[in-house]
Amino acid sequence: MSSMSAIPTMSALASTSEILLAVENVTLRFGGVTAINGVSFDIRKGEIRAIIGPNGAGKTSMLNCINGFYHPQEGRITYKGETRQRMRPYVAASQGIARTFQNVALFKGMTTLDNIMTGRTLKMSANIFWQMLRLGPALADEIRHREYCEEIIDFLEIEAIRKTPVGRLPYGLQKRVELARALAMQPDLLLLDEPMAGMNLEEKQDMCRFIIDVNKTFGTTIALIEHDMGVVMDLSDRVVVLEYGRKIADGTPDDVKSDQKVIDAYLGVSH
Amino acid sequence: MGQFKTSYAKDMVIFPIRQDRIGVYLLLGFALVLLPLMMAFHVPPFRTDYFLLAILLPFLILSLAAIGVNILVGYCGQISLGSGAFMAIGAYMAYKFGTGISEIGLPPLPIVFAILLGGLSAAFFGVLFGLPSLRIKGLYLAVATLAAQFFFDWVFLRVKWFTNYAPSGSVSAPELKFFGYLVATPVEKYMVALIFVIVFALIAKNLVRGNIGRQWMAIRDMDIAAELMGIRPLVAKLSAFAVSSFIIGVAGALWAFLRLGTWEPLAFDINRSLELLFMVIIGGLGSILGSFLGAAFILIVPIFLTVLPAELGIPITTGTVSHLQNVIFGGMICCILIKEPLGFARLWQIGKEKLRMWPFPY
Ligand SMILES: Nc1ncnc2c1ncn2[C@@H]1O[C@H](COP(=O)(O)OP(=O)(O)OP(=O)(O)O)[C@@H](O)[C@H]1O
Ligand SMILES: [Mg+2]
């Protein structure tokens, strides 16, 4: 991924900007298994923050805590200056947190366009009676949000598959549609769980470009889980490293790369 | 910007493909004008009222009920075995509103309001019996809706208030006066049913391609992801139960008033629920068109099985016919669930795609 290294990072900007999300001493257990063990880190506004670590380190669980799908037994999560207790995922969504999934979680029976349009749900206001008639506010909603979705479709270069049921799309494209659906929410914080897993080199490069563009053009803060170290080093402003549910390192890509604990953790794990 | 607007608006009309649009207009013209004319002049197959009363009218009303079932089962993915009960609620409550509720000093209401209020009552109980869906799924939900079915079977049989204390237990529809016009002949009944079906099919189609419809389908396809998109399962599921039961309730009232005239709770038992479920599975889950195709199929097969052997001179008893029927439906449902889960509607779509490319499939 040498082509990527030319892209400048935004670390200078990120280190000075305010904290969007702070995770403090979070512990999450499933019965006897401690998936996350006293982890603290923060995400600054406008940065790309990578979360890395070997399989089973607790990365996905961390995202699930952030968007309210799991509720940690201990610790605090503060988002936009507000510390929350238990919250439902749709509340997190309404506060501007969007995500994609490690295993694609698209709505299989719907077209690409409809999938992306679901991302606009929270922004639509016409009541069910207008929707029955599909007139007035309901039609205005449909047209206005369709326009926005079409912009995202152009941006991610998926015009050709607009009307295709997503179940029929190849894996790489499904991942891209999933990103589109998350972007349709106009999130302040975008959580990406291994957005490039299972992709070929070309698809990976496209996806990297999209992630950087999203971050630059929309100013979206991104938390990214990724196994490809080249990608992580190129994209991210700061990296947090988890192993067996604990944080073992946190810092710029260069710091992390030379950290002995990280090197040990990844020893024997092929990437 | 204005350019965009018109082009997206155009892209979002109900039938974006020209052939489809023409086809639907032709069908509407046929159903609204030509058929009634043929009926009025007793052109075959309308020599007797049999075809009209035993096939066309049931087809229309059951298609409407199937649309209701499809919204819940096909679009929102919530299995229901209680559709018959919601038809019954629509029928009995429409009857109560149509004959007046003296206990609260309510005079007999005009028939259209009675029917719509019947639907509304069904929607209310639909939401109530939909509450378990927030906790349970699949088989367990099916059992809960089955409980609704048996509960209402019992209620309408035992609670005499619903039948205005008729000693026989059966009730008769109030006078069918629609906006001052007395509906008596089969043709008039057909027209009333047709208008209801057109209006509600349009409403259903609008809902499923709009915001709420996308929420239903999102919940059906992947409820966890849907919730993370900001879709509230409570709102999506209960609205599906409400809309679905409303339409089923209206269909129930029409079935009682137009088709049966006089009825007992048995008209809306578990067999009706299963029949409706078969219709949407065979016709196509998650398709309004499929609801019509499924209803047509389920109604036509038994007639076909009775008429064809008779024409060919093969002796066949009614018992054999109903066994054969079960074999055919059972076999078809197995095939469809395994091979083509989207039913006839999907086959129709595939056929159209093939035809559009024919003879140059590139
Ligand atoms: N719902 C759950 N129930 C029980 N255990 C769970 C659950 N979710 C995660 N775990 C456990 O928590 C630990 C962390 O899992 P998690 O999925 O967060 O890892 P990960 O870092 O995302 O790994 P991978 O790289 O394989 O995706 C694992 O041991 C896993 O088995
Ligand atoms: Mg994971």
Side-chain angles (χ1 to χ4, degrees), chain A residues 88 109 131-132 146 150, chain B residues 8 11 206 212 214 221 227:
Chain A
R88 300 289 304 172
Q131 289 183 52
M132 282 180 187
R146 170 76 187 269
E150 289 290 342
Chain B
Y8 289 140
D11 190 48
N206 282 343
I212 193 77
R214 283 190 295 268
D221 286 347
E227 199 175 348

Side-chain angles (χ1 to χ4, degrees), chain A residues 37-74:
Chain A
N37 199 344
V39 171
S40 304
F41 68 95
D42 58 35
I43 301 177
R44 290 175 194 278
K45 210 169 204 163
E47 75 174 335
I48 298 181
R49 182 71 144 131
I51 303 174
I52 65 169
N55 291 109
K59 307 179 295 292
T60 300
S61 302
M62 181 52 86
L63 292 197
N64 283 335
C65 289
I66 292 174
N67 69 5
F69 186 58
Y70 290 161
H71 304 287
Q73 280 82 2
E74 286 163 36

